[in-house]
Amino acid sequence: MRDIQNQKDLREIDIQKAGVKGIKYPIVVLDRAHGTQHVNATINIYANLPHQFKGTHMSRFVEILNEFRGQINIKTFHTILQEIKDKLHAESAHMDIEFPYFIEKIAPVSGAKSLMEYRCFFSGQNNKGNSSDFLVGVVVPVTTVCPCSKEISEIGAHNQRSMVTVKVRFKKFFWIEDLIRLVEESASGEVYSLLKRVDEKYVTEKAHQNPMFVEDVVRNVAQQLNKNVNFLWYSVEAENFESIHNHSAYAYVEKNSKGSFT
Amino acid sequence: MRDIQNQKDLREIDIQKAGVKGIKYPIVVLDRAHGTQHVNATINIYANLPHQFKGTHMSRFVEILNEFRGQINIKTFHTILQEIKDKLHAESAHMDIEFPYFIEKIAPVSGAKSLMEYRCFFSGQNNKGNSSDFLVGVVVPVTTVCPCSKEISEIGAHNQRSMVTVKVRFKKFFWIEDLIRLVEESASGEVYSLLKRVDEKYVTEKAHQNPMFVEDVVRNVAQQLNKNVNFLWYSVEAENFESIHNHSAYAYVEKNSKGSFT
Amino acid sequence: MRDIQNQKDLREIDIQKAGVKGIKYPIVVLDRAHGTQHVNATINIYANLPHQFKGTHMSRFVEILNEFRGQINIKTFHTILQEIKDKLHAESAHMDIEFPYFIEKIAPVSGAKSLMEYRCFFSGQNNKGNSSDFLVGVVVPVTTVCPCSKEISEIGAHNQRSMVTVKVRFKKFFWIEDLIRLVEESASGEVYSLLKRVDEKYVTEKAHQNPMFVEDVVRNVAQQLNKNVNFLWYSVEAENFESIHNHSAYAYVEKNSKGSFT
Amino acid sequence: MRDIQNQKDLREIDIQKAGVKGIKYPIVVLDRAHGTQHVNATINIYANLPHQFKGTHMSRFVEILNEFRGQINIKTFHTILQEIKDKLHAESAHMDIEFPYFIEKIAPVSGAKSLMEYRCFFSGQNNKGNSSDFLVGVVVPVTTVCPCSKEISEIGAHNQRSMVTVKVRFKKFFWIEDLIRLVEESASGEVYSLLKRVDEKYVTEKAHQNPMFVEDVVRNVAQQLNKNVNFLWYSVEAENFESIHNHSAYAYVEKNSKGSFT
């Protein structure tokens, strides 16, 4: 059979990323409390394609995933990228892994236990000359109470669920549990799966004593990240699903922002 | 060219619906304040297919849409269904139309004007012997303040955006503006696109003086619908995007429910 | 603390479903090849609320989930529904569980192994007097080649990925692996995660020798389901993500359809 | 009333973007064939927030939108950004507008007319010292036929719908109609809303005579964009919804890529 992908290409256009996108795959990630956790991930894997080649051998990406089945995590990430470069004869390799991660939380007064889901992602690249890049991200639901509404109203204050997305570049291994914790402590209040009435009283009061704009949340998270020398870079965004509007309030802060955008 | 769709089929299986799904189409709907409104709809159109025929002529559905371009609305709906039956030689025809609809709202104190989006849908069927069915639906964002949280907490009460979905069968034409209004008046508070500080104080206080569970909202809406003899049937569902949980509280009530489900 | 939920309600409106929606939860389901499989599910749990009570005790639903952690599956489903009725003092209980399920597939020529994801769901209800209902559903991606396009074109035929959704009511336990298999054998071709070139040749040729309309797929599935006395009821829908259109072709067939709709 | 947003902030953290996200808004865009087109847009508007201020005045963003109602388009974009900077006393302003856009297409043989939807977006920023940036993007559905599958198979070739997303920076005004056309001519075939049988034969044959990998599509688009000096920068990505897999094949190329990523 002819290998169409290996044919010459004359258009002289290098492709930065070619590969497979949106593969659903069960993986096993590291879990501080239990050693490991089985999760259902969505994965993208790409390699560069130099201008002289017509196509990438897409099936090889899936073969590499199968090889590492059961061992796809933060520690093996760069080995997988190296394998992609080798098997695809590529100069750069890129992988994104997105997955739900469950942590047991304890309700603040009753002590009732329940599982909370957090969306997490790893995104990394290995380039020519072996320079590499790696991001870890978490999406953490929290509660925010509006300081303006609280100040001006006789009773109550509007509040809502907010999603905080943090991405970090870092020096050495850390537990995503700690990053999630840092975010939860930076908002008006935490979100739980199970709260009894005594807990509901506690979280309501705590949040109202601790009102925060969406801008306050990203600044609090940034301030904590600034204190930790392990984090070389970060971006923090928060989105409030406003209870009095049908749109979101939003804030974004990035360490060492160059001000450009795509 | 052979007409494959018209070939005989021997499997003896009648198909209830065959057609096109997810067509994006600009339509013009009736607007009480301005006469008409241009909206971007998503449309499904189906006809039944008797067991003896192999396939439906899918392109005819799109041709019918084009014929009625600019005149697809609550008043022409049944004419379109009849046209589908005729052109497709079918015994039944079905159409779903879903679209965003904008209404100008006035902030309660400042009087500031802004546009609010509501998701609306029409869904109808015309059967053998010309029996027919038609539903109109609206999805209305509102504010809910938790009565339990308010009762047990020293300060504040958790609150959130909620989405209320109402579907009705009815006797004679009505304005969706009135159905939306009925829902907005049945919750702890209304949602706006633009609120100045004096408005924010007002909506916060009003909502906290008017706490409601998700169950209260569906009952309030049902109670109002019960009073109006034009509504022969309804379903009401409300989903609270809880500010203290990462899941929703939900309630559903239906007039003359038969208790079955699919 | 006052129990607001337990207060009297005077509106005289029974609520069919009140509860929690969209809970993300890791569960362990039965797997024919490996005994069990860890999956990340999305769960809704509801109970009815008689007209005289103001609210449901939402936290109890999550407590029940926690009790059954690790044992939420097709065999324990009705025990969970019974527990909901007991703990909530309700006359009816309802639960929906939706999850991704992975099955190892073997490429048809090379024998290369890979994992395919299928979306599955359980949906069940337990009513007054203990009458109950239970549905199992699967969403299966397949390939369809258009018979009309093949017939009229000198070369090729348009083809696309299609999603087939099957829901069944049944008498006794069955493996979802068998239901998925039945669907995969009813289309122009199967979908795989990993295909080498010899496999790609095989699946392309097989699919083109086996062209099917979206109507053919639902009829083939229905025909196979009709042969199995274990299936008391079914609905089958297929959606073709047409390669020559930006909308889908769609067909729906249901056993013992009453022709009504919601 | 106290202006909480105007209070001093001591955390010394500049916020790059603070504002409102996901506002649904009807706008009127320029349409080459008809002058203007009414579309339902989704809009984000942000301003920077210097470290010394606690919060942004979110309602002003919506007021600015209302001011420009009916005149939000590619030509007024920078005036709106300037207005944001002025009204918010900000150093930079950012806006994203995403909307569906309809173009009438003519079937290649029958001449049948129908409307096709394309997703479009504008994204722009105005910085300190008035340096500014502006992107226009389009998402274009096309058909791709796999060259490998065609080469190795006795009959047929797998093909599928693909989505091509192009973003450009440019010197002077251009019509998005032309950018969409450029993409449609760079794939195996075009996608239509309405095709009669003679058209279906034509598009099937044309696509099979013109097989392309996902890498070919991005290179063809890039090659055409390279020829037009009006385009200073571009990114092109293509995603094939593979008919033989349950994941996508993907390729990305960018002019003057710096190789970094976020």
Side-chain angles (χ1 to χ4, degrees):
Chain A
M1 279 181 194
R2 279 175 62 200
D3 186 341
I4 301 286
Q5 281 87 345
N6 259 346
Q7 289 178 339
K8 279 267 154 65
D9 198 284
L10 303 172
R11 281 165 292 191
E12 307 224 312
I13 295 173
D14 291 323
I15 290 179
Q16 280 89 355
K17 292 180 193 165
V20 291
K21 187 178 177 189
I23 296 191
K24 306 292 181 178
Y25 211 80
I27 66 171
V28 181
V29 294
L30 304 176
D31 177 323
R32 185 160 61 186
H34 305 93
T36 56
Q37 183 171 148
H38 294 259
V39 298
N40 299 149
T42 302
I43 302 178
N44 309 328
I45 324 181
Y46 311 127
N48 79 312
L49 183 68
H51 65 83
Q52 64 272 23
F53 297 111
K54 184 169 170 65
T56 310
H57 290 87
M58 300 270 177
S59 65
R60 294 186 192 168
F61 294 107
V62 183
E63 288 178 310
I64 292 167
L65 268 191
N66 288 347
E67 255 177 63
F68 283 87
R69 193 168 154 183
Q71 309 157 57
I72 299 171
N73 57 53
I74 199 172
K75 291 189 171 172
T76 60
F77 202 97
H78 276 292
T79 314
I80 300 172
L81 290 181
Q82 190 56 55
E83 182 87 357
I84 296 169
K85 286 174 68 171
D86 292 351
K87 283 263 174 74
L88 274 295
H89 310 297
E91 293 158 333
S92 69
H94 182 106
M95 182 161 63
D96 304 308
I97 302 181
E98 196 263 333
F99 58 93
Y101 186 71
F102 289 87
I103 298 178
E104 192 171 74
K105 291 196 71 168
I106 295 174
V109 180
S110 71
K113 290 175 181 174
S114 64
L115 289 172
M116 269 282 294
E117 186 215 40
Y118 304 88
R119 306 301 301 181
C120 300
F121 42 90
F122 304 149
S123 188
Q125 192 156 315
N126 190 321
N127 297 315
K128 218 170 171 170
N130 239 11
S131 78
S132 70
D133 197 3
F134 188 56
L135 290 182
V136 168
V138 294
V139 183
V140 183
V142 297
T143 302
T144 49
V145 171
C146 178
C148 172
S149 171
K150 189 192 169 191
E151 172 69 25
I152 63 182
S153 306
E154 303 274 322
I155 55 160
H158 75 81
N159 55 81
Q160 52 270 316
R161 197 190 304 161
S162 308
M163 298 305 275
V164 183
T165 302
V166 181
K167 296 176 188 174
V168 294
R169 288 190 173 94
F170 53 98
K171 279 190 276 192
K172 55 178 214 286
F173 177 83
F174 70 95
W175 288 101
I176 49 179
E177 285 85 345
D178 289 327
L179 186 54
I180 288 168
R181 199 74 212 111
L182 182 157
V183 175
E184 292 185 325
E185 289 170 351
S186 299
S188 296
E190 295 180 49
V191 162
Y192 296 84
S193 291
L194 177 56
L195 293 170
K196 302 304 294 177
R197 235 170 321 152
V198 287
D199 304 309
E200 190 171 350
K201 174 179 163 62
Y202 176 90
V203 300
T204 303
E205 293 173 354
K206 184 188 157 197
H208 280 79
Q209 281 150 1
N210 208 18
M212 284 186 202
F213 288 124
V214 70
E215 295 96 327
D216 289 315
V217 175
V218 298
R219 276 177 171 150
N220 285 350
V221 173
Q223 206 173 23
Q224 294 308 311
L225 292 172
N226 281 341
K227 287 180 188 164
N228 188 327
V229 293
N230 192 37
F231 297 122
L232 304 169
W233 174 90
Y234 59 76
S235 71
V236 183
E237 60 181 334
E239 181 170 358
N240 284 8
F241 304 121
E242 299 281 290
S243 64
I244 59 170
H245 294 303
N246 199 24
H247 57 256
S248 298
Y250 176 89
Y252 177 86
V253 63
E254 184 183 321
K255 187 169 185 171
N256 306 323
S257 167
K258 291 165 298 274
S260 69
F261 83 106
T262 321
Chain B
M1 280 183 192
R2 279 175 62 200
D3 186 342
I4 301 285
Q5 281 88 344
N6 259 346
Q7 288 179 340
K8 279 265 154 66
D9 197 284
L10 304 171
R11 281 163 293 191
E12 305 223 315
I13 295 173
D14 290 323
I15 290 178
Q16 281 88 354
K17 291 179 193 166
V20 290
K21 188 179 176 187
I23 295 191
K24 307 291 182 178
Y25 210 80
I27 66 172
V28 181
V29 294
L30 304 175
D31 177 323
R32 186 161 58 186
H34 304 94
T36 55
Q37 183 172 148
H38 294 259
V39 299
N40 298 150
T42 301
I43 302 179
N44 308 328
I45 324 181
Y46 311 127
N48 80 312
L49 182 69
H51 66 84
Q52 63 271 24
F53 298 111
K54 185 170 169 64
T56 310
H57 290 88
M58 301 271 176
S59 65
R60 294 187 192 167
F61 294 107
V62 183
E63 287 178 312
I64 292 167
L65 269 191
N66 288 347
E67 256 177 63
F68 284 86
R69 192 168 154 184
Q71 309 157 58
I72 300 170
N73 57 52
I74 199 172
K75 292 189 171 173
T76 59
F77 203 97
H78 277 292
T79 315
I80 300 173
L81 289 180
Q82 192 55 55
E83 182 86 358
I84 296 169
K85 285 173 69 170
D86 293 348
K87 283 264 175 72
L88 276 293
H89 311 296
E91 294 157 332
S92 70
H94 182 106
M95 182 162 62
D96 305 308
I97 302 182
E98 195 262 334
F99 58 93
Y101 185 71
F102 289 86
I103 299 179
E104 191 171 73
K105 291 195 71 168
I106 295 173
V109 179
S110 71
K113 290 175 180 174
S114 63
L115 288 172
M116 269 282 294
E117 187 215 40
Y118 304 88
R119 307 299 302 181
C120 300
F121 43 91
F122 304 149
S123 188
Q125 192 155 315
N126 191 322
N127 298 314
K128 219 170 170 168
N130 239 10
S131 78
S132 70
D133 196 3
F134 188 56
L135 291 182
V136 168
V138 293
V139 184
V140 183
V142 297
T143 302
T144 49
V145 171
C146 179
C148 172
S149 171
K150 189 192 169 193
E151 172 68 26
I152 63 182
S153 307
E154 303 274 321
I155 54 162
H158 76 80
N159 55 79
Q160 52 270 317
R161 197 190 304 161
S162 308
M163 298 305 274
V164 183
T165 303
V166 181
K167 297 176 188 174
V168 294
R169 288 189 173 94
F170 54 97
K171 278 190 277 191
K172 55 177 214 287
F173 177 84
F174 70 96
W175 290 101
I176 50 180
E177 284 85 344
D178 289 327
L179 186 54
I180 289 167
R181 199 74 213 112
L182 183 157
V183 175
E184 292 185 325
E185 288 169 353
S186 299
S188 296
E190 294 179 49
V191 162
Y192 296 84
S193 292
L194 176 57
L195 293 170
K196 302 304 295 176
R197 235 169 320 153
V198 287
D199 304 308
E200 190 171 350
K201 174 178 162 63
Y202 176 89
V203 300
T204 303
E205 293 173 353
K206 184 189 158 197
H208 280 79
Q209 281 149 0
N210 208 17
M212 285 186 201
F213 288 124
V214 71
E215 296 95 329
D216 290 315
V217 175
V218 297
R219 276 178 171 149
N220 285 350
V221 174
Q223 207 173 23
Q224 295 308 312
L225 292 172
N226 281 341
K227 288 180 189 165
N228 189 328
V229 293
N230 192 37
F231 296 121
L232 304 169
W233 175 91
Y234 59 77
S235 71
V236 183
E237 60 182 333
E239 181 170 358
N240 284 9
F241 304 121
E242 301 280 292
S243 65
I244 60 170
H245 295 302
N246 199 25
H247 56 257
S248 297
Y250 175 89
Y252 176 87
V253 63
E254 184 183 320
K255 186 169 186 171
N256 305 325
S257 167
K258 291 165 297 276
S260 70
F261 83 107
T262 319
Chain C
M1 279 180 192
R2 279 175 61 200
D3 186 341
I4 302 285
Q5 281 88 342
N6 258 346
Q7 289 179 339
K8 280 265 154 66
D9 198 284
L10 305 172
R11 281 165 291 191
E12 306 224 313
I13 294 173
D14 290 323
I15 290 179
Q16 281 88 355
K17 292 179 192 166
V20 291
K21 187 177 176 189
I23 296 191
K24 305 292 181 177
Y25 211 80
I27 66 171
V28 181
V29 294
L30 304 175
D31 177 323
R32 185 161 60 186
H34 306 94
T36 56
Q37 184 172 148
H38 294 259
V39 298
N40 298 150
T42 301
I43 302 179
N44 309 327
I45 324 182
Y46 312 127
N48 79 313
L49 183 69
H51 65 84
Q52 63 272 24
F53 298 111
K54 185 169 168 66
T56 311
H57 291 88
M58 300 270 177
S59 65
R60 294 186 194 167
F61 294 107
V62 183
E63 288 179 310
I64 292 166
L65 268 192
N66 288 346
E67 256 177 62
F68 283 85
R69 191 168 155 185
Q71 309 156 58
I72 300 170
N73 56 53
I74 200 172
K75 292 189 171 172
T76 61
F77 202 97
H78 276 291
T79 314
I80 300 172
L81 290 180
Q82 191 54 55
E83 182 87 358
I84 296 168
K85 285 173 69 171
D86 293 350
K87 284 263 174 72
L88 276 294
H89 311 297
E91 293 158 335
S92 69
H94 182 105
M95 184 161 62
D96 304 308
I97 302 181
E98 195 262 333
F99 58 93
Y101 186 72
F102 288 87
I103 299 178
E104 192 170 74
K105 291 195 71 168
I106 295 174
V109 179
S110 71
K113 291 175 179 173
S114 64
L115 289 171
M116 269 283 294
E117 187 216 39
Y118 304 88
R119 306 300 301 181
C120 299
F121 43 91
F122 304 149
S123 188
Q125 192 155 314
N126 190 323
N127 298 315
K128 219 170 172 168
N130 238 12
S131 80
S132 70
D133 197 4
F134 188 57
L135 290 182
V136 168
V138 293
V139 184
V140 183
V142 297
T143 302
T144 48
V145 172
C146 178
C148 172
S149 172
K150 188 191 170 192
E151 172 69 25
I152 63 182
S153 306
E154 304 272 321
I155 55 161
H158 75 82
N159 55 81
Q160 51 270 317
R161 198 191 302 162
S162 309
M163 298 305 274
V164 183
T165 302
V166 181
K167 297 176 187 174
V168 294
R169 289 189 173 95
F170 54 97
K171 280 190 274 191
K172 54 178 215 285
F173 177 83
F174 70 94
W175 290 100
I176 49 179
E177 285 85 343
D178 288 328
L179 187 54
I180 288 168
R181 199 74 213 111
L182 183 157
V183 175
E184 292 184 326
E185 289 171 352
S186 299
S188 296
E190 296 179 48
V191 162
Y192 297 83
S193 292
L194 176 57
L195 292 171
K196 302 304 294 177
R197 235 170 318 154
V198 286
D199 304 309
E200 190 171 351
K201 173 179 165 62
Y202 177 88
V203 300
T204 303
E205 293 173 354
K206 183 188 157 197
H208 279 79
Q209 280 150 2
N210 208 18
M212 285 186 201
F213 288 124
V214 71
E215 296 96 328
D216 289 314
V217 175
V218 298
R219 277 177 170 151
N220 285 350
V221 173
Q223 205 174 24
Q224 295 307 312
L225 293 171
N226 281 342
K227 287 179 190 165
N228 189 328
V229 294
N230 192 38
F231 297 121
L232 304 168
W233 174 91
Y234 59 77
S235 70
V236 182
E237 60 181 333
E239 180 171 358
N240 284 8
F241 305 122
E242 299 280 291
S243 66
I244 60 170
H245 295 303
N246 199 24
H247 56 258
S248 297
Y250 176 88
Y252 177 87
V253 64
E254 185 184 320
K255 187 170 184 170
N256 306 323
S257 167
K258 292 166 298 276
S260 70
F261 84 106
T262 321
Chain D
M1 279 183 193
R2 280 175 61 201
D3 186 342
I4 302 286
Q5 281 88 343
N6 259 345
Q7 289 179 339
K8 279 265 154 65
D9 198 284
L10 303 172
R11 281 165 291 192
E12 307 224 313
I13 295 173
D14 290 323
I15 291 179
Q16 281 89 355
K17 292 180 193 165
V20 291
K21 186 178 176 187
I23 295 191
K24 305 291 181 177
Y25 210 80
I27 65 171
V28 181
V29 294
L30 304 176
D31 177 322
R32 186 162 57 185
H34 306 93
T36 55
Q37 184 171 149
H38 294 259
V39 299
N40 298 150
T42 301
I43 302 180
N44 310 326
I45 324 182
Y46 312 127
N48 79 313
L49 183 68
H51 66 84
Q52 63 271 25
F53 297 112
K54 185 169 170 64
T56 311
H57 290 89
M58 300 271 176
S59 65
R60 295 186 192 167
F61 294 108
V62 183
E63 288 178 311
I64 292 166
L65 269 191
N66 289 347
E67 254 177 64
F68 282 87
R69 192 168 155 185
Q71 309 156 58
I72 300 170
N73 56 52
I74 200 172
K75 291 189 171 172
T76 59
F77 202 97
H78 276 291
T79 315
I80 300 172
L81 290 180
Q82 191 55 55
E83 182 87 358
I84 296 168
K85 285 174 68 170
D86 292 349
K87 283 264 173 73
L88 275 294
H89 310 296
E91 293 157 334
S92 69
H94 183 106
M95 183 161 62
D96 304 308
I97 302 182
E98 195 262 333
F99 59 93
Y101 186 72
F102 289 87
I103 299 179
E104 192 171 74
K105 291 195 71 168
I106 295 173
V109 180
S110 71
K113 290 175 180 174
S114 64
L115 288 172
M116 270 282 295
E117 187 216 40
Y118 304 88
R119 307 298 301 180
C120 299
F121 42 92
F122 303 149
S123 188
Q125 192 156 312
N126 190 323
N127 298 315
K128 218 170 172 167
N130 239 9
S131 79
S132 70
D133 197 3
F134 188 56
L135 290 183
V136 168
V138 293
V139 183
V140 183
V142 296
T143 303
T144 48
V145 171
C146 178
C148 172
S149 171
K150 188 191 170 193
E151 172 70 24
I152 64 182
S153 307
E154 303 274 321
I155 55 161
H158 76 81
N159 55 81
Q160 52 270 317
R161 198 191 303 161
S162 309
M163 298 304 274
V164 183
T165 303
V166 181
K167 298 176 186 173
V168 294
R169 288 189 173 94
F170 53 97
K171 279 189 276 191
K172 55 178 214 287
F173 178 83
F174 70 95
W175 290 100
I176 50 179
E177 284 86 343
D178 289 327
L179 186 54
I180 289 168
R181 198 76 213 111
L182 182 157
V183 175
E184 291 185 326
E185 289 170 352
S186 299
S188 295
E190 294 179 49
V191 162
Y192 297 83
S193 292
L194 177 56
L195 293 171
K196 302 305 293 177
R197 234 172 317 155
V198 286
D199 304 308
E200 190 171 350
K201 174 180 162 62
Y202 176 89
V203 299
T204 303
E205 293 173 353
K206 183 188 158 198
H208 279 79
Q209 280 149 0
N210 208 17
M212 285 186 201
F213 288 124
V214 71
E215 296 96 327
D216 289 315
V217 175
V218 298
R219 275 177 171 151
N220 285 350
V221 173
Q223 205 174 25
Q224 295 307 312
L225 292 171
N226 282 341
K227 287 181 189 164
N228 189 328
V229 293
N230 192 38
F231 297 122
L232 304 168
W233 174 91
Y234 60 76
S235 71
V236 182
E237 61 181 333
E239 181 170 358
N240 285 8
F241 304 122
E242 300 280 291
S243 64
I244 59 169
H245 295 302
N246 198 25
H247 56 257
S248 297
Y250 176 88
Y252 177 86
V253 65
E254 185 183 320
K255 186 169 185 171
N256 305 324
S257 167
K258 292 166 295 278
S260 70
F261 83 105
T262 317

